[in-house]
Amino acid sequence: DTGVSQDPRHKITKRGQNVTFRCDPISEHNRLYWYRQTLGQGPEFLTYFQNEAQLEKSRLLSDRFSAERPKGSFSTLEIQRTEQGDSAMYLCASSSDRVFYDTQYFGPGTRLTVL
Amino acid sequence: GIQVEQSPPDLILQEGANSTLRCNFSDSVNNLQWFHQNPWGQLINLFYIPSGTKQNGRLSATTVATERYSLLYISSSQTTDSGVYFCAVERDSGNTPLVFGKGTRLSVIA
């Protein structure tokens, strides 16, 4: 078990560019979550999946954001036409619903800076 | 929705001192987790503790679900304990998204 991994760890982009982040969950976990964390705040929920099905999207997830988990394994989060307000840490977590209440395990995050 | 409040927001300790961090939540919960966020941003699981008391080395946690609060105790603090401690509760039942507090920023000085 290698834990949750995220790539890239850091991304610097110019306003208006598109970016894509990847998350690989713990292999036996079928639930995958995306959160966003801004400076001085706790993480806030963006969206989550059970296997390949996207179960919910937060109102924080504008139409410039899209997330996929095509084969129920890794997930991607894409931000189109980035804005300076998108600068944040993007965190991915996973858990298993074989246990009704399970611990969520977090990856190291992708820190996005939009210039 | 459910609200999570943590106190104090900031805490400075001398190495070796003990501390208690508090988490209040506004509704009954089925899942409560404590995390430590290190300076690189990694959230490290400390406890999964919807009720009762658990201990892991110098850290222990108690959740009193009926009174809607949880406490994290750090004894004999070390400089490596520095960082931000978050409490998070599951919004609904059964592996749903977590709602986080704003955290307690702990600085342990030698």
Side-chain angles (χ1 to χ4, degrees):
Chain A
D1 180 359
T2 57
V4 180
S5 62
Q6 293 187 244
D7 185 71
R9 297 289 304 277
H10 302 273
K11 179 70 177 178
I12 300 174
T13 191
K14 293 182 179 179
R15 189 178 54 183
Q17 298 294 305
N18 299 341
V19 295
T20 300
F21 309 141
R22 176 178 171 127
C23 170
D24 286 87
I26 293 171
S27 58
E28 65 269 24
H29 285 180
N30 56 349
R31 293 249 172 157
L32 186 149
Y33 312 79
W34 285 99
Y35 296 83
R36 181 171 69 186
Q37 185 179 21
T38 54
L39 203 61
Q41 303 295 316
E44 295 177 292
F45 162 70
L46 292 178
T47 187
Y48 78 116
F49 294 84
Q50 175 168 312
N51 301 313
E52 65 275 9
Q54 189 171 21
L55 296 185
E56 185 179 342
K57 294 190 291 186
S58 161
R59 57 179 171 77
L60 294 177
L61 214 65
S62 77
D63 56 6
R64 296 184 297 106
F65 288 70
S66 62
E68 293 184 337
R69 194 181 182 199
K71 296 184 180 179
S73 56
F74 72 91
S75 175
T76 58
L77 178 68
E78 181 183 16
I79 309 175
Q80 297 183 328
R81 306 181 302 280
T82 52
E83 302 173 356
Q84 289 183 325
D86 297 331
S87 294
M89 174 78 93
Y90 290 83
L91 295 163
C92 175
S94 69
S95 70
S96 170
D97 68 0
R98 292 186 187 84
V99 179
F100 194 60
Y101 301 109
D102 193 24
T103 302
Q104 290 187 25
Y105 295 92
F106 281 76
T110 295
R111 189 174 298 277
L112 173 67
T113 302
V114 181
L115 302 176
Chain B
I2 193 166
Q3 305 294 315
V4 180
E5 293 185 358
Q6 292 186 243
S7 60
D10 296 279
L11 187 58
I12 300 174
L13 295 176
Q14 199 75 31
E15 199 170 26
N18 302 329
S19 63
T20 301
L21 282 56
R22 186 176 180 103
C23 171
N24 292 333
F25 41 94
S26 60
D27 205 346
S28 59
V29 297
N30 298 298
N31 177 1
L32 186 147
Q33 294 184 234
W34 282 98
F35 296 90
H36 175 216
Q37 190 166 43
N38 66 22
W40 297 272
Q42 172 79 59
L43 279 167
I44 299 164
N45 294 71
L46 297 177
F47 293 102
Y48 168 75
I49 186 164
S51 63
T53 297
K54 290 186 178 180
Q55 181 159 5
N56 185 2
R58 295 181 297 104
L59 272 60
S60 64
T62 294
T63 298
V64 184
T66 53
E67 297 187 22
R68 299 181 185 171
Y69 73 88
S70 183
L71 302 174
L72 177 68
Y73 305 97
I74 305 174
S75 64
S76 304
S77 57
Q78 302 175 357
T79 56
T80 52
D81 295 331
S82 297
V84 183
Y85 289 81
F86 287 103
C87 166
V89 301
E90 201 169 292
R91 189 190 61 193
D92 303 303
S93 59
N95 289 291
T96 54
L98 295 173
V99 177
F100 283 79
K102 290 190 175 182
T104 291
R105 180 173 297 278
L106 175 65
S107 299
V108 181
I109 55 177

